[in-house]
Amino acid sequence: MHKKKSSIVFLLVPFLFFGQLKEESKYYNWFDQVLGQEHTGLHNGKWYLDFDVNRIYDNRHAFFRSDEVLMGSVTYSGQTYYDIKMKYNLEIDRLLVQLKSSSTASVIKLIPDKIDEFVIDGSRFIRIDDREVEKAENILNTIFYEVLLETEDLLLLKSNKKVRNRRLGDTGDRMVYEFTSANRYILSCNEKYYVVKSKYDIVKIYPELKKEIKQFYTTNKILKKSEPDRFMKRLFEKVVQPSQLNKEL
């Protein structure tokens, strides 16, 4: 594929002023437009059909943020594709991409092992193939983790999950589904993974910060309830990370 791209560039550069395409994302978008997305590596996946259409209760769907397609990028089989329409199904932990040819649009379920990372609606997810994560979480089907904070000393991750629940519809004559969140925070530090469910889990990891951690929880109760992701990120930025920097001095 790289050889094909090189030949196209050689022939078209004088006419398309290729030197003006400075940003990496624009560079790859240009190639995909020339070759057609249906001919790129993203087509290497399985067709996806949503059998839950019109059977979701009160818009409580299985997807990340929205059941409509969101814009993002994905690194697939070593190549990064930008400005891709995608959805992330949190029940089955699979990334779906919408590819449009000249006549039709197809929804493809990408092969997880070929995905290094992806960004959807501004949130970055990475694939972690590590039995230690599975052991820490006590679950075996999590593949992609949202990166909330990444430093030299730690990696704060979030496992986004949704669980299917059955119930009768408002008319009482058919079964519908609603999906509820079952998220977990995972901390990677000291070459280990830890599940973080409460302040006590963090204190076990950083016993020397017991007082500071409890104080942070006390003074940020509203933030924890309204924006738990932001709360966790700020906790590690303001309390944990400074202490690790001081250790290095």
Side-chain angles (χ1 to χ4, degrees):
M1 183 172 182
H2 292 293
K3 291 182 179 179
K4 184 182 290 186
K5 289 183 177 180
S6 299
S7 62
I8 293 175
V9 172
F10 181 78
L11 294 172
L12 300 183
V13 163
F15 304 98
L16 298 181
F17 301 99
F18 181 72
Q20 296 180 3
L21 301 178
K22 298 180 180 180
E23 298 181 12
E24 182 181 1
S25 62
K26 292 182 181 180
Y27 171 81
Y28 284 111
N29 280 340
W30 180 79
F31 272 128
D32 287 341
Q33 289 172 9
V34 172
L35 298 177
Q37 281 187 341
E38 68 273 20
H39 298 302
T40 68
L42 287 181
H43 202 68
N44 183 12
K46 296 182 179 180
W47 286 70
Y48 175 83
L49 295 176
D50 190 350
F51 294 102
D52 295 330
V53 174
N54 299 323
R55 299 191 67 184
I56 300 300
Y57 178 77
D58 197 28
N59 199 36
R60 298 174 186 174
H61 52 78
F63 298 94
F64 179 75
R65 290 191 182 161
S66 174
D67 59 348
E68 301 292 334
V69 291
L70 301 171
M71 298 304 297
S73 63
V74 58
T75 300
Y76 196 61
S77 296
Q79 179 172 329
T80 302
Y81 300 86
Y82 298 89
D83 295 333
I84 302 297
K85 293 181 179 180
M86 58 177 60
K87 299 168 69 173
Y88 177 27
N89 189 312
L90 300 181
E91 181 193 23
I92 60 175
D93 197 19
R94 293 295 184 269
L95 183 64
L96 316 173
V97 296
Q98 185 181 89
L99 303 180
K100 187 176 182 181
S101 65
S102 58
S103 58
T104 60
S106 304
V107 177
I108 304 296
K109 181 169 61 176
L110 297 183
I111 301 171
D113 291 346
K114 294 181 178 295
I115 301 174
D116 292 323
E117 65 176 86
F118 63 91
V119 177
I120 179 170
D121 198 34
S123 293
R124 178 184 171 221
F125 290 80
I126 60 175
R127 189 190 83 230
I128 298 182
D129 296 320
D130 196 316
R131 290 291 178 181
E132 289 302 315
V133 183
E134 297 175 350
K135 182 179 178 181
E137 284 199 274
N138 196 29
I139 54 176
L140 300 176
N141 60 346
T142 300
I143 299 175
F144 302 110
Y145 295 82
E146 182 180 0
V147 179
L148 298 182
L149 179 65
E150 184 174 14
T151 72
E152 293 183 0
D153 302 303
L154 60 85
L155 184 62
L156 180 62
L157 305 169
K158 180 181 180 182
S159 171
N160 290 268
K161 285 291 181 182
K162 285 192 176 180
V163 179
R164 178 187 297 261
N165 300 284
R166 296 182 179 182
R167 60 172 295 162
L168 286 175
D170 293 334
T171 58
D173 59 351
R174 69 168 185 159
M175 190 68 68
V176 295
Y177 304 104
E178 62 177 344
F179 292 84
T180 55
S181 296
N183 304 325
R184 299 190 186 193
Y185 295 104
I186 308 295
L187 176 65
S188 172
C189 66
N190 303 322
E191 299 183 351
K192 294 182 179 180
Y193 291 94
Y194 305 89
V195 175
V196 178
K197 298 180 180 180
S198 69
K199 60 185 175 184
Y200 302 106
D201 294 319
I202 306 176
V203 170
K204 287 181 181 178
I205 304 170
Y206 303 102
E208 72 278 8
L209 297 175
K210 180 177 180 179
K211 179 180 179 181
E212 291 82 355
I213 293 171
K214 288 187 174 182
Q215 181 63 36
F216 187 88
Y217 268 80
T218 300
T219 57
N220 292 274
K221 290 181 178 180
I222 296 178
L223 180 63
K224 182 178 183 297
K225 185 176 181 180
S226 61
E227 299 180 74
D229 291 354
R230 187 181 174 193
F231 170 87
M232 292 297 295
K233 182 179 179 181
R234 182 174 293 183
L235 169 62
F236 282 90
E237 285 178 332
K238 302 297 183 181
V239 178
V240 176
Q241 184 61 21
S243 71
Q244 301 306 299
L245 293 176
N246 290 334
K247 285 183 179 180
E248 298 175 0
L249 297 178

